[in-house]
Amino acid sequence: MAGMISVSIHDRMEPLEAEWRALEALNINSLHHGYDWCRAWIAQYKRPLIIVEGRMQGELAFILPLEVVRGRMFTSAQFIGAEHSNLNTGLLTQRFIDAATSELMTTIGASIRGAVGNVDFVLLTNIPEQWRGVAMPFAMLPSVENQNHAFALTMQADFVGTLAQLSAKRRRKKFSSSHRKLEGMGGYEHVIAETSAEKNRFLDLFFEQKGARLVELDLPNVFACPRTREFLHQAAQLPQTEERFALRLHALRMTGGEHEGEIPAIAGLSRKGDHLIVQFCTIGSGPLTQAAPGELLFHLMVEQYNTKRLGLFDFGIGDMAFKRSWTNVETVQVNVTIPVTPLGRLAALKEETTTRLKAMIKQNPAVYAFLQRIRAKVHNAPHDKAGQQEADED
């Protein structure tokens, strides 16, 4: 089987569009590797592309959508949009998944190493070891566990059954408390942005609220980059169906009283098939936060999507208390490094060491909080973000 594997490289997406779109329709493949999602990202960042096409016995086996990221010391090929991706699988055929073994993946890794050029190493981040009960082929390559795990909620036949997997009594108590408080402040409604103008307005409000919230918490604002903001605006405007949307914006909106019209909570969701991912969420500031509007919004969204043939409500990567209270599945993700040049071996060692160090730091809340404050002061300092050069964390 190993002798029947061939790998080729493309610097454009268009020649693979038809096969790409066919693969992205498979449930096992990450929505972050959808053709339109990747194209929207590339339109903003304009990085050189290294699209890896793998064939097995002449038939398409996988596509790895990679872009070139130039750092201060090393140049890498990474998944397109990896900075804002919760899950990476590559685009894989079922036949390839079924055939994958450690030996076959070793051969493929060597083929990729020999085929790519102009980079020091290939970095494949946030690959789940197991996804939807299936071993992911590229996680079989030499890897290090990512410092972040992913958290999700499996959806049952009805909302009662879904809540029964959690502390249902506590969840209902939280909902009732938030509902009464917001009703007492004038009432509220759960809304979804439908028009182009409303999508843009909700996104701009999210950037404003999230930025203020992160500064308040001494955390770096990962949404500060204008290109990232424009990418999300473009993703929100892509065509949507009930079972497929790149970015759908949900919010709570006050309907009366002195807070009428205010938006105390916003969330951005993506869906492909029976898998939904929370891309981001935030709450505003002021008296309305006392009602825990974020918790209320999640309760309403989980209840709503429980009736829409959803299998997994994915809260994404990052260990947070509210995620653990809402989820019953924790997924380990790994980072794979494939050195290409002699310098790339050093880059791979640095990447693996840094990831392990991050994991250790996150296990010490005091140290992690201290370093986050330092990072936030640097990241959030006034400067021309639009003019920043691309740089990794060398």
Side-chain angles (χ1 to χ4, degrees):
M1 181 67 73
M4 299 179 182
I5 289 289
S6 63
V7 169
S8 56
I9 304 297
H10 302 265
D11 60 5
R12 297 168 56 241
M13 296 175 59
E14 289 77 9
L16 292 171
E17 181 175 356
E19 292 176 306
W20 191 314
R21 290 190 184 277
L23 285 185
E24 74 179 47
L26 300 179
N27 267 351
I28 199 71
N29 293 326
S30 172
L31 61 85
H32 290 289
H33 298 158
Y35 191 87
D36 292 329
W37 179 276
C38 289
R39 187 167 57 180
W41 179 272
I42 292 165
Q44 297 305 317
Y45 280 82
K46 297 179 170 59
R47 293 167 177 162
L49 300 182
I50 296 180
I51 310 299
V52 183
E53 176 190 6
R55 290 191 172 268
M56 190 167 62
Q57 296 176 312
E59 295 182 7
L60 182 65
F62 64 84
I63 296 172
L64 294 182
L66 310 180
E67 61 180 345
V68 176
V69 179
R70 305 188 189 282
R72 290 183 289 269
M73 295 173 61
F74 312 112
T75 299
S76 63
Q78 302 182 25
F79 282 120
I80 291 172
E83 297 101 304
H84 286 271
S85 176
N86 287 282
L87 172 77
N88 294 314
T89 58
L91 294 153
L92 318 173
T93 66
Q94 189 60 54
R95 179 169 178 252
F96 173 59
I97 293 172
D98 294 341
T101 62
S102 296
E103 293 75 18
L104 179 62
M105 295 311 300
T106 296
T107 298
I108 290 174
S111 297
I112 292 173
R113 181 182 295 110
V116 300
N118 302 318
V119 297
D120 295 307
F121 71 117
V122 177
L123 174 62
L124 308 178
T125 56
N126 294 105
I127 301 175
E129 289 185 316
Q130 297 275 333
W131 178 235
R132 313 303 291 268
V134 176
M136 286 289 93
F138 284 94
M140 297 177 188
L141 291 169
S143 64
V144 60
E145 184 177 316
N146 190 280
Q147 68 272 14
N148 294 311
H149 292 185
F151 297 86
L153 173 64
T154 52
M155 306 292 269
Q156 300 303 314
D158 54 43
F159 189 51
V160 172
T162 296
L163 282 191
Q165 302 171 110
L166 311 171
S167 177
K169 183 177 180 180
R170 182 169 177 268
R171 294 254 58 89
R172 291 193 181 93
K173 184 177 180 181
K174 276 180 168 287
F175 171 78
S176 297
S177 174
S178 295
H179 173 77
R180 285 196 305 270
K181 288 177 181 178
L182 287 187
E183 283 294 323
M185 293 178 176
Y188 69 93
E189 60 181 345
H190 174 199
V191 295
I192 300 173
E194 299 291 349
T195 67
S196 176
E198 195 169 41
K199 292 171 185 177
N200 287 331
R201 185 170 69 85
F202 277 22
L203 261 177
D204 287 337
L205 182 58
F206 163 76
F207 296 138
E208 178 185 332
Q209 290 183 349
K210 192 68 170 181
R213 188 82 176 161
L214 291 171
V215 169
E216 180 183 312
L217 296 172
D218 276 333
L219 296 174
N221 184 0
V222 296
F223 296 98
C225 177
R227 287 177 297 186
T228 297
R229 295 185 177 200
E230 188 54 41
F231 159 69
L232 292 173
H233 273 291
Q234 188 173 341
Q237 300 297 340
L238 290 172
Q240 300 185 5
T241 65
E242 196 53 55
E243 295 191 355
R244 184 75 181 263
F245 45 84
L247 188 61
R248 180 169 288 181
L249 298 159
H250 288 246
L252 294 183
R253 181 166 57 201
M254 300 302 291
T255 57
E258 62 178 302
H259 300 289
E260 183 176 0
E262 291 186 27
I263 306 289
I266 301 174
L269 311 179
S270 301
R271 179 176 180 176
K272 193 192 80 170
D274 71 342
H275 179 216
L276 181 145
I277 290 183
V278 179
Q279 298 290 353
F280 54 72
C281 57
T282 193
I283 60 174
S285 57
L288 296 176
T289 61
Q290 300 170 12
E295 285 277 358
L296 177 58
L297 179 58
F298 274 110
H299 188 106
L300 294 171
M301 291 190 299
V302 170
E303 183 176 21
Q304 180 185 82
Y305 284 103
N306 211 126
T307 66
K308 298 185 176 182
R309 298 186 297 280
L310 193 70
L312 200 66
F313 195 108
D314 194 333
F315 284 72
I317 59 173
D319 193 347
M320 302 176 70
F322 92 91
K323 289 184 182 183
R324 286 192 175 272
S325 72
W326 266 111
T327 58
N328 64 338
V329 178
E330 183 174 351
T331 301
V332 175
Q333 299 185 345
V334 299
N335 295 351
V336 170
T337 53
I338 304 174
V340 176
T341 67
L343 186 61
R345 295 191 187 96
L346 178 61
L349 177 61
K350 172 261 176 188
E351 184 66 33
E352 292 166 3
T353 303
T354 300
T355 301
R356 289 191 177 96
L357 182 59
K358 287 179 180 178
M360 291 175 57
I361 289 172
K362 286 198 169 188
Q363 292 172 9
N364 189 320
V367 173
Y368 180 60
F370 173 71
L371 292 177
Q372 283 287 74
R373 286 195 296 272
I374 293 176
R375 184 180 173 212
K377 288 178 181 178
V378 174
H379 195 279
N380 298 334
H383 55 281
D384 181 14
K385 291 184 174 65
Q388 289 187 75
Q389 294 184 347
E390 293 175 8
D392 60 19
E393 297 181 357
D394 293 343

